[in-house]
Amino acid sequence: MVTIEEALGIIEDQKIDLKTEVRPLEASLGYALSKNIISPFDVPEFDNSAMDGYALCGLYQEYKLVGEVAAGDSKEVSLQNGEAVRIFTGAKVPENTTAVMMQEKTSVKDKTLFLDEMPKVGQNIRKRGGQLAEGQEVFEKGHMLNPPSLALMGSLGRSELEVFSKPRVNIITTGNELVKPGQPKLVGQIYESNSYAISGVLEQFGFEHHQKTQIQDDFEATKAGIQTALESCDVLIISGGISVGDYDFVKQSLEENGVKELFYKVFQKPGKPLYFGRKDNKFVFALPGNPASSLTCFYVYVLPLLHKLSGYRRTGLPTYQFPIKHGYENRFGRPSFLKAAILDGKVEVLDGQGSSMIQSMAKGNVLAFVDDGEKLTAGDLIRCKLIS
Ligand code: AMP
Ligand code: MG
């Protein structure tokens, strides 16, 4: 048995050779850069207007109107003292522009522009290099490309990016009692549901699974299923069969497939019978079968590994602290992850904390954490990971 910190440390310490690939900009969301990015030019590349209005030369309240510059115009315009041109957002400001006045504060009569107020030097001008200077580092290797990052890469003219490849994931569910939804079910059987949460959470965080297999609680079948699944993935996620029951064959089957245990059992609730192992450059998580346990373990342990294998500089879900709505005492005798909801800035621990209970998790939006024996009173800060 390891502590939560030890388990996370073991995951973090895994040495791996990351693969890289070149991807089109539009297909790079959620990938991490495999090289530092340097700005090839100043951003913006020229002084430009932050407003629709008038570019002014000198500081007056009246100007002679001499023309117009629209966004995208390449013509060279130069102003003389006392002159103004109509200008639009993003247009290159003419040479000698002192300030831009927003059009709402102006009026025009014949060819004369009148301002409602005196302009200030530099007002409404976005300066060349104001965001980035040529040669400046934009992102470090390992930066995960979120939507604004894609916009920035586009604005630097990049149509392709060198990124770390993402791991291939396979899923195995185990259990004689499991029936696929939509199929008839006998007394004593239940519908298989974990694989939908696991494939869903993979998709939510930008990962794909290639194969999903359902295996009966049979040693030979489990061993063969694991062998096949391992051939075509970097990370194998197994649900169920990892406890100490007579029908739990996963651990032994992993051993027989040459997977080396890195930890087994974590001092936590839910998700105590969590297994993590490695065979060469392939990793295996065997998650406890209880639906809330398996998903909790995914957020806390599987996601950091997937991020690490994807070359992310920052791995796993960040922990934030929010005030708790009502007092809460952890009487589970183990550090605990709680299904909770944050609303109006306050965290409410939800009813239905059992490992098999998934409705509370579905209705909540955070995974809260309380240490063994920790006692919180209303308003105390509670640690949370945002899960939806
Ligand atoms: P296990 O870890 O295999 O002992 O399973 C623990 C509990 O989780 C049992 O009540 C199982 O029926 C349930 N369970 C295991 N796998 C699944 C699954 N894929 N979908 C829904 N429930 C499951
Ligand atoms: Mg089972």
Side-chain angles (χ1 to χ4, degrees), residues 174-177 217 240-241 247-248:
T174 68
N176 288 343
E177 73 279 28
D217 292 321
Y247 294 90
D248 293 328

Side-chain angles (χ1 to χ4, degrees), residues 170-275:
N170 282 340
I171 302 170
I172 289 178
T173 51
T174 68
N176 288 343
E177 73 279 28
L178 303 177
V179 176
K180 195 175 160 59
Q183 303 295 313
K185 174 167 74 64
L186 302 173
V187 174
Q189 295 185 316
I190 61 165
Y191 286 121
E192 195 284 304
S193 61
N194 284 352
S195 72
Y196 300 93
I198 295 168
S199 58
V201 79
L202 284 168
E203 195 180 327
Q204 181 188 353
F205 289 101
F207 297 94
E208 284 172 14
H209 72 279
H210 291 246
Q211 205 181 76
K212 187 164 124 175
T213 322
Q214 160 64 25
I215 297 176
Q216 294 302 100
D217 292 321
D218 169 88
F219 177 59
E220 288 305 326
T222 307
K223 198 171 131 186
I226 288 173
Q227 185 181 5
T228 307
L230 273 175
E231 282 164 12
S232 61
C233 70
D234 304 301
V235 178
L236 173 59
I237 301 174
I238 304 172
S239 142
I242 192 65
S243 291
V244 290
D246 290 349
Y247 294 90
D248 293 328
F249 297 115
V250 168
K251 194 165 177 293
Q252 198 188 340
S253 302
L254 287 167
E255 268 162 34
E256 301 237 347
N257 271 293
V259 179
K260 291 218 172 60
E261 178 189 314
L262 293 166
F263 65 75
Y264 175 50
K265 292 194 177 161
V266 181
F267 188 61
Q268 63 179 4
K269 191 181 163 33
K272 191 171 100 177
L274 171 66
Y275 170 101

Side-chain angles (χ1 to χ4, degrees), residues 141-152:
K141 168 178 155 176
H143 173 80
M144 190 273 275
L145 294 157
N146 55 12
S149 306
L150 297 184
L152 188 54

Side-chain angles (χ1 to χ4, degrees), residues 119-194:
K120 294 184 195 77
V121 176
Q123 188 178 8
N124 298 324
I125 299 175
R126 299 192 288 220
K127 297 297 285 178
R128 173 176 184 158
Q131 186 171 193
L132 285 169
E134 181 181 337
Q136 191 181 333
E137 187 174 88
V138 183
F139 290 129
E140 273 182 275
K141 168 178 155 176
H143 173 80
M144 190 273 275
L145 294 157
N146 55 12
S149 306
L150 297 184
L152 188 54
M153 291 300 96
S155 71
L156 299 182
R158 299 291 299 255
S159 60
E160 291 184 328
L161 295 167
E162 287 158 293
V163 297
F164 291 111
S165 302
K166 286 197 189 182
R168 296 167 302 161
V169 182
N170 282 340
I171 302 170
I172 289 178
T173 51
T174 68
N176 288 343
E177 73 279 28
L178 303 177
V179 176
K180 195 175 160 59
Q183 303 295 313
K185 174 167 74 64
L186 302 173
V187 174
Q189 295 185 316
I190 61 165
Y191 286 121
E192 195 284 304
S193 61
N194 284 352

